[in-house]
Amino acid sequence: MSNRKLGMIAGPAVIAMAVMAGSGQLAAQAPQGRAGGAAAPQAPPTAQATAAIDLTGNWVSVVNEDWRWRMVTPPKGDYASVPLNADGTKQADTWQPSMDGQCEAYGMAGLMRMPTRLKIGWQDPQTLKIETDAGTQTRLLHFGGTGVKPTARSLQGWSEAEWERPGGGGRGRGPLPPGGTLKATTTMLRAGWLRKNGVPYSADATVTEYFDRFTSPTGEEWFSVTTIVHDPKFLNQDFVTSSHFKKEADASKWSPSTCRQSS
């Protein structure tokens, strides 16, 4: 049978045949290139491989504004600048000084305002992990719909993340910085506090964050995170803050402190 006829019989599953010298026997050769059929589909690139900015490393918060609400526990009733509605104020008034240090103060919606150090790294190629020494908390940011969304609420909730790049639409608040931005949206939160003195956010809250990295004129590496808390239960309008972190050379100043579970 001719090679031409063999090729016709094989159809799409083409097998190249060669006549072995002097024996008249046929030997199969592995398909090569296009003649061997379509190449195996390639897995889509991971969030780690396509990162718009690099947030990994050790960072320390730099408290350059709102010092009286961030560095110390404000007195009861000091809710200035938080757009609490009547229900929010009523809830805030239930706080007592004896509750200072409870883990509600380290929930996701208030955590990045804390005077804290961060360790940021990739737990896996689709999950960015943020650890804090203040309150000893761990956040996971899930890219690309990966992970299993929990059924139970927690202090850190469920965060879905994506990269926003220049020219890709962005956040609708002006041009994106070079490289782009990390956007994270968090739901499934347990009720917590925006400040250590019990200024509340509810389990209905949705928190959106934008992380931007930049280099200062002196060469120091920084990132800022803009946090938008949307809580129709306790807030009259969105509560928007911007917090800043400076990169550190290592974790030598890392000093975990735990929070107290509420009774």
Side-chain angles (χ1 to χ4, degrees):
M1 185 180 294
S2 69
N3 287 346
R4 179 180 178 85
K5 288 183 179 179
L6 281 171
M8 293 174 65
I9 293 171
V14 178
I15 301 178
M17 309 297 288
V19 178
M20 297 182 66
S23 67
Q25 296 177 344
L26 298 177
Q29 295 181 336
Q32 299 179 1
R34 291 186 177 273
Q42 297 294 314
T46 65
Q48 182 179 6
T50 59
I53 53 176
D54 182 12
L55 294 171
T56 61
N58 298 282
W59 306 83
V60 61
S61 60
V62 177
V63 181
N64 49 17
E65 43 86 28
D66 287 351
W67 195 95
R68 83 180 207 221
W69 298 306
R70 297 173 63 187
M71 292 301 295
V72 297
T73 301
K76 181 177 179 176
D78 185 353
Y79 316 139
S81 79
V82 182
L84 291 174
N85 60 23
D87 288 340
T89 301
K90 182 178 180 180
Q91 179 64 29
D93 287 339
T94 66
W95 182 86
Q96 299 296 330
S98 61
M99 300 166 68
D100 190 17
Q102 286 186 187
C103 291
E104 281 80 359
Y106 300 88
M108 179 267 152
L111 183 62
M112 302 299 279
R113 294 293 282 170
M114 287 285 180
T116 185
R117 284 184 160 82
L118 307 179
K119 289 181 180 178
I120 303 180
W122 290 95
Q123 175 168 282
D124 60 57
Q126 291 288 90
T127 309
L128 191 65
K129 179 168 69 173
I130 302 175
E131 299 174 89
T132 73
D133 64 355
T136 319
Q137 299 295 306
T138 299
R139 297 184 56 195
L140 297 177
L141 278 55
H142 303 272
F143 287 80
T146 57
V148 179
K149 191 171 184 178
T151 56
R153 297 179 180 275
S154 67
L155 280 178
Q156 302 309 321
W158 173 261
S159 298
E160 297 182 355
E162 61 182 298
W163 300 117
E164 290 190 342
R165 302 179 186 277
R171 66 188 103 166
R173 293 191 291 124
L176 291 176
T181 289
L182 167 61
K183 177 184 178 182
T185 304
T186 302
T187 56
M188 293 298 295
L189 285 164
R190 202 174 84 201
W193 303 340
L194 296 169
R195 290 179 180 161
K196 292 180 180 180
N197 64 339
V199 178
Y201 63 88
S202 75
D204 295 336
T206 297
V207 183
T208 305
E209 297 168 291
Y210 297 96
F211 295 76
D212 296 304
R213 180 168 173 165
F214 59 95
T215 303
S216 74
T218 58
E220 296 171 321
E221 295 297 326
W222 293 70
F223 80 79
S224 66
V225 55
T226 301
T227 304
I228 305 169
V229 182
H230 176 73
D231 184 5
K233 183 172 181 179
F234 286 151
L235 299 177
N236 283 316
Q237 63 187 55
D238 291 350
F239 181 52
V240 183
T241 57
S242 182
S243 309
H244 297 81
F245 293 82
K246 183 171 69 171
K247 194 165 191 178
E248 297 189 303
D250 52 42
S252 59
K253 297 180 181 179
W254 184 256
S255 181
S257 59
T258 59
C259 56
R260 292 189 295 109
Q261 298 292 333
S262 56
S263 57

